[in-house]
């Protein structure tokens, strides 16, 4: 059994805190309390299920500051031990692309001839190293592994 917890709310906390509809304390508390409750209780009810949490997509959370904020949010929930990892492209979409050697391989127009640096949306021009979903998966894995000790998440991508 595989469960994808797709609240679409946790990525919003990382990018839309300045919006009073998303960033007010009541909304933030509801998102965090609700997701924590869901993850813990589903884990208790189906302990052998692989659980993945929605993590937006690279065109949303791919910037380093957004990613760091998302890592802090997940760390603050205290649910990493219940997760197998993250699901991307669930509540939004970014092209799959080709995986590069590192998530930030294409920044500063490095390696423009490499097919993995194809960037049809121009995200690397905006300093988003996660310009395709494969590179976002690399970025998400690295940031979560470094930010939450002992957590080595798997990433699944909805195509």
């Amino acid at each position: 059994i595989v469960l994808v917890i797709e609240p679409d709310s946790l990525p919003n906390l990382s990018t839309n805190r300045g919006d009073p509809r998303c960033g007010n304390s009541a909304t933030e508390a509801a998102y965090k309390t609700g997701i924590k409750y869901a993850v813990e209780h589903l884990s208790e009810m189906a302990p052998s299920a692989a659980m993945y949490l929605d993590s937006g997509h690279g065109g949303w959370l791919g910037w380093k500051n957004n990613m760091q904020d998302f890592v802090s949010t997940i760390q603050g929930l205290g649910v990493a031990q219940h997760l197998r990892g993250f699901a991307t492209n669930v509540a939004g979409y970014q092209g799959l692309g080709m995986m590069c050697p590192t998530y930030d391989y294409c920044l500063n127009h490095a390696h423009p001839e490499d097919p993995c640096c194809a960037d049809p949306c121009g995200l690397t021009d905006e300093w988003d190293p996660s310009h395709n979903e494969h590179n976002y998966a690399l970025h998400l894995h690295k940031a979560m592994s470094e930010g939450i000790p002992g957590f080595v998440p798997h990433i699944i991508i909805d195509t």
Side-chain angles (χ1 to χ4, degrees):
I1 298 172
V2 174
L3 302 172
V4 176
I5 311 303
E6 193 273 310
D8 195 31
S9 56
L10 296 179
N12 267 323
L13 289 179
S14 294
T15 59
N16 296 322
R17 283 199 170 113
D19 183 327
R21 295 169 296 173
C22 300
N24 67 67
S25 59
T27 300
E28 187 170 340
Y31 284 168
K32 289 179 177 180
T33 303
I35 298 306
K36 182 176 177 66
Y37 176 86
V39 169
E40 289 176 346
H41 282 80
L42 287 169
S43 179
E44 186 178 303
M45 300 303 290
S48 61
M51 198 173 331
Y52 295 86
L53 192 60
D54 174 27
S55 60
H57 58 81
W60 186 1
L61 293 179
W63 285 265
K64 291 179 182 181
N65 60 328
N66 291 348
M67 179 63 72
Q68 187 54 50
D69 192 90
F70 188 63
V71 170
S72 294
T73 297
I74 301 305
Q75 186 176 39
L77 291 176
V79 297
Q81 71 276 14
H82 300 296
L83 301 175
R84 183 145 202 287
F86 296 94
T88 76
N89 259 3
V90 178
Y93 180 79
Q94 174 173 259
L96 192 59
M98 293 179 64
M99 189 176 293
C100 290
T102 63
Y103 78 90
D104 56 358
Y105 181 77
C106 302
L107 280 180
N108 296 318
H109 297 284
H111 317 286
E113 72 291 340
D114 195 317
C116 77
C117 291
D119 184 13
C121 295
L123 293 174
T124 54
D125 288 341
E126 298 176 15
W127 292 94
D128 181 350
S130 304
H131 66 279
N132 69 50
E133 213 55 19
H134 273 134
N135 290 341
Y136 179 59
L138 285 173
H139 190 183
L140 184 60
H141 181 271
K142 178 177 175 47
M144 289 292 176
S145 297
E146 291 175 355
I148 303 174
F151 183 44
V152 183
H154 294 82
I155 313 297
I156 58 174
I157 302 171
D158 185 359
T159 59

